[in-house]
Amino acid sequence: MEEKMQQLKSTMATLADLGGAQAILGWDQQTYMPPAAAESRGQQGGTLGRLAHEIGTSQELGKLLEELKPYAASLDPDSDDARMIKFAVRDYEQATRVPAEFVVEQAEVTALANQAWAEARAKSDFSIFHPHLEKIVELTHRFIGFFPPADHPYDTLLDNFEPGMKTAEVKAIFEALRPQQVELIQAISKKPQVDDSFLHQAFEEKKQWDFGVEVITAFGYDWNRGRQDKSPHPFTNSSSINDVRITTRVAPDFLNTMLFGTMHEAGHAMYGQGIGMNLERTNLTGGASLAVHESQSRMWENLVGRSMPFWQHFYPRLQELFPGQLGSVPLEKFYKGINKVQPSLIRVEADEATYNLHIMLRLEIEIAVVEGKIAVKDLPAAWNARMKDYLGVTPPSDAKGVLQDIHWSWGMFGYFSTYALGNLISAQLWEKINHDLPDLTGQFHAGKFESLLGWLRENIHVHGRKFMPQELVQKVTGSRIDPAPYMRYLTKKYGEIYGL
Amino acid sequence: MEEKMQQLKSTMATLADLGGAQAILGWDQQTYMPPAAAESRGQQGGTLGRLAHEIGTSQELGKLLEELKPYAASLDPDSDDARMIKFAVRDYEQATRVPAEFVVEQAEVTALANQAWAEARAKSDFSIFHPHLEKIVELTHRFIGFFPPADHPYDTLLDNFEPGMKTAEVKAIFEALRPQQVELIQAISKKPQVDDSFLHQAFEEKKQWDFGVEVITAFGYDWNRGRQDKSPHPFTNSSSINDVRITTRVAPDFLNTMLFGTMHEAGHAMYGQGIGMNLERTNLTGGASLAVHESQSRMWENLVGRSMPFWQHFYPRLQELFPGQLGSVPLEKFYKGINKVQPSLIRVEADEATYNLHIMLRLEIEIAVVEGKIAVKDLPAAWNARMKDYLGVTPPSDAKGVLQDIHWSWGMFGYFSTYALGNLISAQLWEKINHDLPDLTGQFHAGKFESLLGWLRENIHVHGRKFMPQELVQKVTGSRIDPAPYMRYLTKKYGEIYGL
């Protein structure tokens, strides 16, 4: 069995190396690749993906996994080897259910849909995207059909992005949350708005960049195992536990773009850098799930980066860099400005209090589409009605409404809720962390973040993908994903800021 | 047969994609990779290399090639398909002769040897490298043994780097050349030396970089399909015909490093960018050989970049950028300075007149080692004796003598002569080009290089690897590689500069 386990590890190492190579190709594509290389880069990525798929669905691997099942059953179920086999079986079963021809068809449909979406958004004309989205919905139904029936057909999609998560579970969480979030936003809307005009001034790009670097260096981002570059859309790119890179963007006339984008990606990246080296080149590297990953990025961006203790330490430095712009803005005013709540049209620009509502809207629409209760042609109207209900705003155009996100053009139905779940997990972990580390506020005030990062490493990062997301949250906090801590956090924070 | 040819093309595309991905991994490693990622990068490159080797030596490919041989015989032998099959057969036969275990052993031995060489050079202590070099020589003999007996055992090594080239042929070329080059250098040494002290001043790095960019843009380097970055050792990196990147280095106190390094790499890169798109993702992309590649880099670096007409156009611009350093240096003096001949110890710093002698010395030593006529322990003495004979200088230490080059630590016996052959081919092509394009001097004077690049594209670049190097030189110039044009070029140029 030792020998068979070595065979599995060797296969996993090959797959990890292919994935790592693809990560670097992707990083290069979005940072430094010359424009004319797009086609050949697509071919190279396609070939590596095909080779990985051939290895990951081979009969040899299937046979090996069958032979290893009794061995896994004989082990401590939390041991690395047992978990490696468990997830290898899961991945193998998922990958072999979807026929290769379907994968090819999906790639072709989404390539065209992606182009059509870009054009539709540019022209704010849903009719350009409409026929492509019809095909994607049809493909989505066929995809669901490859899997055994679940409690709800949408479960299959969710499980694809958030392992083990059920539609009923997400709906229950969001239904508990929505009325409270709506109520909070309505209460805020009755109070005088805070001023954030000072954030919209000219800020020298080089100084912004340097400040971001100072902040994430203090957080504990490891430059020996990463780097930061510029890209139009910030991302984190992991090709190995020892190579987790981030990108950021800098707006010359708005401070938040660089500031919170940099902290967000550093949060993802420190997760990637913190995975135990015992998991390197296995199928257990990477995070527990997209939601758990998002809990880390949102924690550093919001619970740390939009907190008063953080700015008690860093604001004098920011004022020193931008004396003309911020010299006469007191800390209290700055803190309120970066935490301004204002219902808006675009998800990626939403504040903490309204963000989840953007997600709930998408989840409800996706479920209704899968259930056949909303036709594709009716999506713009369904979108706008919910925007009005939840956020009190109405998109002036589909470009700022149903066409704003790229995900559906990639066929990614089932993805969005991971963003909101990440917010919830971040607050749930935060309560536990503050219980375990009662002096966190004092440490942030002094610019110290080692205790926080150490706690996250030990409790979350080091495990990589060894645990399913709910299992991990339960293990660490004592309960499954729970919206209450997030509501407590929002209510307390915005109660103070807006004097509710 | 059409279908089998498609199968071959599909296999070649997979191999090209794996090679393209490896190229990007290599580029990243030498430019932007975080330091701690070296180990995982080695693993990723190793895995891609192993997969490519498995595909390139598979029995299916062997069978396919056997089946395609009659088809190739039925085609125009210069057609793309015929050439593709011919080189696929050649590559397959070479790859399958060398056992996989040998490749692994070689990788292990050279990894250690490479480290030992670096230490030996740093300490100038040959004894540290000695046992590793013994093993490499032993591996070299075993490598030769995998191939059918040739006219000379060194032929197998040469053929590995310069397809079809014979030891007797290279020896004959070099033996014709050596006395003439030695005589020229001796004649120069009796004349007053030219002054190049103005090249050794402080030159602002940004301005140097910008000037290099201006020059290679004028040459015709295509920035839409390439880019330039900094690296400690300049190189050209091709991951596709549409993605051929270069690097350069800038010395703050010596102009030549950036200047001629940039032109040299641009010469390689324009070759890569000029290969016919009909050859993309086949085994015929890349150049005809290392020597033909070097003929392109040396042509742009020396025959263009160290010529008077080039500087008649570009010198005023360089003076404008560096008025303090060059404002009072007349063009004639500058031209002589960048062409200063001075026998020296280090190959990579050698001038045009002495460079080939550095290569001849290495070739003779390599052949003698393969023949068993020089023992590894006697290499330092053999090296120093030839340096004295050919160049009139004696290394003060092994670091500046036998240990100066990295190649042997990589096991690359058979490589060096491609550098000198490249010089010879560049001058041979130059005579033909000047015959075909009589106004080249006038064009350079006006800063125009399109005709030259167009000629190279049409006669050399577009063919990629379709022809063997001697075949290509014959086809283009009417004769095989011939040292006479290079001697004519050196004699005329340095006769004028030194008043011989």
Side-chain angles (χ1 to χ4, degrees), chain B residues 287-472:
Chain B
S289 72
L290 292 167
V292 177
H293 236 296
E294 195 73 5
S295 79
Q296 302 302 293
S297 56
R298 298 293 272 182
M299 184 182 290
W300 290 98
E301 174 193 356
N302 290 330
L303 292 144
V304 179
R306 281 190 166 92
S307 76
M308 182 52 105
F310 171 87
W311 286 108
Q312 282 168 334
H313 177 76
F314 271 109
Y315 191 55
R317 173 65 182 140
L318 190 65
Q319 285 181 307
E320 186 182 294
L321 285 168
F322 299 109
Q325 296 91 329
L326 300 175
S328 62
V329 178
L331 172 60
E332 184 75 17
K333 185 174 177 178
F334 179 83
Y335 171 72
K336 286 186 176 178
I338 59 168
N339 283 297
K340 181 182 175 182
V341 174
Q342 184 151 50
S344 63
L345 298 167
I346 305 296
R347 175 183 64 83
V348 296
E349 294 165 7
D351 55 75
E352 283 185 274
T354 58
Y355 187 92
N356 285 351
L357 296 174
H358 289 266
I359 299 303
M360 292 176 202
L361 174 165
R362 286 160 177 73
L363 179 74
E364 289 171 24
I365 286 179
E366 287 191 359
I367 292 175
V369 166
V370 166
E371 289 175 343
K373 291 186 181 155
I374 298 182
V376 170
K377 71 172 170 49
D378 298 327
L379 279 174
W383 183 284
N384 293 349
R386 277 175 179 75
M387 282 300 283
K388 180 78 188 148
D389 274 5
Y390 300 166
L391 287 153
V393 292
T394 304
S397 67
D398 288 340
K400 298 204 166 191
V402 70
L403 290 171
Q404 67 181 263
D405 284 310
I406 199 170
H407 303 60
W408 289 344
S409 80
W410 282 330
M412 290 167 80
F413 273 73
Y415 187 104
F416 280 115
S417 56
T418 67
Y419 289 130
L421 294 172
N423 285 332
L424 305 190
I425 297 169
S426 75
Q428 197 173 343
L429 292 174
W430 198 243
E431 288 193 352
K432 172 70 174 150
I433 291 166
N434 278 276
H435 176 265
D436 291 356
L437 306 170
D439 183 36
L440 216 49
T441 298
Q443 292 179 32
F444 290 0
H445 196 143
K448 301 285 181 199
F449 304 91
E450 296 92 331
S451 300
L452 173 59
L453 183 58
W455 190 98
L456 293 171
R457 287 251 147 104
E458 186 184 331
N459 290 283
I460 306 286
H461 302 178
V462 76
H463 300 307
R465 189 196 175 198
K466 274 184 75 174
F467 303 101
M468 300 280 270
Q470 284 281 28
E471 191 182 15
L472 181 66

Side-chain angles (χ1 to χ4, degrees), chain A residues 144-180:
Chain A
I144 293 169
F146 297 135
F147 291 82
D151 300 341
H152 189 286
Y154 192 78
D155 285 357
T156 303
L157 304 177
L158 263 182
D159 185 61
N160 202 27
F161 296 107
E162 197 60 26
M165 188 61 67
K166 293 285 187 181
T167 309
E169 205 166 16
V170 183
K171 276 172 87 168
I173 291 168
F174 286 3
E175 273 158 23
L177 196 61
R178 197 183 57 227
Q180 298 179 63

